[in-house]
């Protein structure tokens, strides 16, 4: 029973830490303990550790710590790539060691030994493609080609020079401070890939998210089928009802069956819970990026639009407030004496600020079919293919 509670507590703590770290800055968690845990994990823990290093080793220790932080967080490095390979390889080896002995089983066929290896191999292949493919690097040789791909909307993109590369910045591009290069249709810099996600590798990244979501679901279901098969093969339900006199109902059997599974197959259950939590997180990431692809928007543009719409709303609110103040002053200066307005009427009166409508005008959204086609077959690839055909002609 102690092992059962240990596994439950481990799963809950893992879920809390992962959700707090990845989602703690979301508005829905503002002012909650999840936001406080997120602040501690992303800032507080490092600050306490810095103070400890400074107290023990002095300024040399803090300088070494800052250099390490700079390398790990501000420069390209393979640390998270190695962690990904260790997590995937370690988890799969653990499944082979603890679960493959029961395959084939009552509910699962023997070919899953090989399809699981194929599924992991496809996932690693997509990881390599997303990590080492060119995201769409812009330089002085190809900048004219990228300038012709997207027009400036003069809202979130306008014609200006990159202060680092000293070339014109094409619309939808951004200079990545970590990779130190301009990237076409920049989405974000992914530490797990040690690469930027841009125009040419967005497809690989989205496929990576989807496939790893599928891989985690596949692993969770497969282990669940193995455990269900062991229940059937060992006739656990029959033994509990026939020899221990437990009522043959779900409500009566469930606690005893769970206790038997946890005591006998605690490693498999731990792996299954881990895969289920990761699948839940990956479904959210995949859904978010899929919606971006369908609307031809990037993560970088999402933040730009949020800033622009917030600024536009503040400007319009200021204009409406100024007009309302002007109208009030005109009423006070007029000779006509108006009867006082009813308190109930003024209470239910609609504010002028509620009539404000701030519209997002994304000129790059051309319908989800053409948007998807653009992800699958980037504009620069089509442009290069057309140019090569013209040269041959």
């Amino acid at each position: 029973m102690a092992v059962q509670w240990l596994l439950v507590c481990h799963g809950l703590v893992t879920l809390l830490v992962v959700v707090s770290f990845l989602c703690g800055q979301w508005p829905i968690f503002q002012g909650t303990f999840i936001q406080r845990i997120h602040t501690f994990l992303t800032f507080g823990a490092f600050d306490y550790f810095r103070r400890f290093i400074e107290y023990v080793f002095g300024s040399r220790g803090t300088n070494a710590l800052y250099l390490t932080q700079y390398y790990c967080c501000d420069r390209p490095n393979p640390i998270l790539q190695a962690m990904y390979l260790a997590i995937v390889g370690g988890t799969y080896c653990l499944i082979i060691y603890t679960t493959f002995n029961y395959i084939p089983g009552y509910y699962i066929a023997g070919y899953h030994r090989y399809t699981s290896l194929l599924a992991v191999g496809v996932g690693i292949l997509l990881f390599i493609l997303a990590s080492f493919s060119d995201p769409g690097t812009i330089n002085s040789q190809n900048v004219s080609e990228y300038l012709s791909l997207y027009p400036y909307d003069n809202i979130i993109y306008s014609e200006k020079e990159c202060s680092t590369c000293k070339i014109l910045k094409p619309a939808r591009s951004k200079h990545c401070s970590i990779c130190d290069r301009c990237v076409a249709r920049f989405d974000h810099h992914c530490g797990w890939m040690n690469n930027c996600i841009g125009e040419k590798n967005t497809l690989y990244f989205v496929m990576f998210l989807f496939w790893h979501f599928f891989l985690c679901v596949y692993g969770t279901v497969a282990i669940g089928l193995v455990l269900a098969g062991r229940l059937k093969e060992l006739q656990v339900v029959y033994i509990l009802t026939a020899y221990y006199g437990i009522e043959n109902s779900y409500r009566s059997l469930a606690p005893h069956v769970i206790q038997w599974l946890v005591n006998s197959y605690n490693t498999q259950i731990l792996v299954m819970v881990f895969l289920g939590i990761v699948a839940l997180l990956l479904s959210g990431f995949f859904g978010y990026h899929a919606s971006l692809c369908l609307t031809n928007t990037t993560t970088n543009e999402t933040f730009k639009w949020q800033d622009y719409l917030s600024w536009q709303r503040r400007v319009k609110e200021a204009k409406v407030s100024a007009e309302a103040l002007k109208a009030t002053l005109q009423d006070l200066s007029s000779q006509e004496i108006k009867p006082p307005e009813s308190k109930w009427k003024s209470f239910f009166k609609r504010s002028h600020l509620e009539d404000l409508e701030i519209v997002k005008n994304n000129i790059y959204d051309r319908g989800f079919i053409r948007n998807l086609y653009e992800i699958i077959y980037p504009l620069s690839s089509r442009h290069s293919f057309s140019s090569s055909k013209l040269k041959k002609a």
Side-chain angles (χ1 to χ4, degrees):
M1 198 67 178
V3 177
Q4 178 181 352
W5 280 109
L6 182 63
L7 287 173
V8 171
C9 293
H10 179 273
L12 291 175
V13 170
T14 303
L15 180 62
L16 178 63
V17 170
V18 172
V19 170
S20 300
F21 179 74
L22 296 175
C23 313
Q25 76 277 20
W26 290 4
I28 191 174
F29 296 122
Q30 190 171 3
T32 64
F33 68 94
I34 292 180
Q35 185 190 33
R36 289 193 287 272
I37 295 174
H38 172 82
T39 304
F40 174 77
L41 292 174
T42 55
F43 174 75
F46 177 79
D47 188 54
Y48 286 122
F49 182 65
R50 179 192 60 79
R51 293 180 185 180
F52 172 76
I53 293 294
E54 185 177 9
Y55 178 77
V56 176
F57 300 102
S59 59
R60 289 186 178 182
T62 53
N63 290 335
L65 180 63
Y66 285 135
L67 286 173
T68 305
Q69 180 198 17
Y70 176 75
Y71 174 76
C72 294
C73 303
D74 299 324
R75 300 309 307 155
N77 64 82
I79 294 175
L80 288 179
Q81 288 177 303
M83 284 180 60
Y84 161 81
L85 293 174
I87 291 170
V88 172
T91 303
Y92 188 61
C93 289
L94 189 61
I95 291 173
I96 292 174
Y97 179 73
T98 60
T99 309
F100 271 32
N101 295 331
Y102 308 114
I103 299 176
Y106 192 87
Y107 294 113
I108 191 167
Y111 64 81
H112 285 281
R113 286 170 169 259
Y114 311 104
T115 56
S116 61
L117 178 61
L118 177 64
V120 172
V122 171
I124 293 176
L125 176 62
L126 289 172
F127 171 75
I128 292 172
L129 288 172
S131 298
F132 298 102
S133 60
D134 177 25
T137 304
I138 304 172
N139 49 46
S140 56
Q141 286 75 35
N142 62 12
V143 64
S144 57
E145 175 188 333
Y146 280 108
L147 284 168
S148 63
L149 295 182
Y150 296 104
Y152 294 107
D153 62 358
N154 294 317
I155 301 176
I156 59 173
Y157 294 112
S158 57
E159 185 175 334
K160 60 181 179 180
E161 185 182 82
C162 175
S163 58
T164 306
C165 299
K166 303 302 179 185
I167 57 175
L168 276 177
K169 290 181 66 174
R172 314 193 75 185
S173 68
K174 186 180 186 296
H175 186 92
C176 177
S177 59
I178 298 176
C179 295
D180 194 25
R181 59 181 173 180
C182 282
V183 177
R185 199 182 179 277
F186 180 86
D187 189 273
H188 70 288
H189 179 89
C190 181
W192 291 101
M193 308 295 175
N194 192 26
N195 196 10
C196 291
I197 305 302
E199 186 212 20
K200 292 186 176 180
N201 63 353
T202 298
L203 176 63
Y204 298 142
F205 178 72
V206 175
M207 289 177 64
F208 168 86
L209 291 177
F210 170 75
W211 190 260
H212 280 71
F213 163 71
F214 163 77
L215 194 62
C216 290
V217 172
Y218 175 39
T220 304
V221 173
I223 295 175
L225 291 175
V226 167
L227 297 180
R230 296 301 295 163
L231 281 172
K232 191 75 174 179
E233 290 161 0
L234 298 176
Q235 298 182 335
V236 174
V237 174
Y238 173 75
I239 293 172
L240 288 173
T241 53
Y243 292 94
Y244 290 92
I246 298 171
E247 183 184 350
N248 191 3
S249 65
Y250 175 80
R251 195 170 192 177
S252 301
L253 286 171
H256 299 281
V257 171
I258 291 172
Q259 184 177 356
W260 178 80
L261 285 172
V262 169
N263 289 331
S264 304
Y265 303 98
N266 49 60
T267 305
Q268 289 90 335
I269 291 176
L270 184 62
V271 173
M272 190 167 64
V273 170
F274 171 74
L275 292 176
I277 292 173
V278 175
L280 185 64
L281 293 171
L282 287 173
S283 66
F285 283 120
F286 170 71
Y288 172 70
H289 282 280
S291 66
L292 292 180
C293 292
L294 291 174
T295 57
N296 206 340
T297 311
T298 64
T299 304
N300 179 52
E301 290 170 353
T302 300
F303 292 115
K304 283 180 175 289
W305 276 113
Q306 286 177 356
D307 293 339
Y308 172 77
L309 295 177
S310 176
W311 173 73
Q312 282 288 90
R313 185 167 187 85
R314 287 197 299 269
V315 169
K316 291 196 174 185
E317 285 178 352
K319 288 182 179 179
V320 170
S321 299
E323 290 175 0
L325 179 60
K326 185 179 179 180
T328 303
L329 292 173
Q330 287 177 351
D331 289 342
L332 289 173
S333 62
S334 64
Q335 298 287 334
E336 184 181 355
I337 300 175
K338 296 181 180 179
E341 188 177 26
S342 169
K343 290 183 180 180
W344 287 104
K345 186 177 179 181
S346 62
F347 179 78
F348 290 106
K349 187 177 180 180
R350 184 182 178 87
S351 170
H352 293 291
L353 297 180
E354 296 177 12
D355 297 327
L356 290 176
E357 186 178 358
I358 312 297
V359 181
K360 175 182 175 181
N361 182 25
N362 183 13
I363 65 171
Y364 309 115
D365 185 358
R366 299 180 294 173
F368 73 91
I369 294 178
R370 294 180 68 181
N371 294 340
L372 280 179
Y373 184 62
E374 186 177 317
I375 297 297
I376 297 170
Y377 194 23
L379 291 179
S380 61
S381 302
R382 285 179 254 173
H383 190 274
S384 301
F385 180 72
S386 301
S387 301
S388 61
K389 286 184 69 177
L390 287 173
K391 287 179 181 178
K392 288 180 181 179

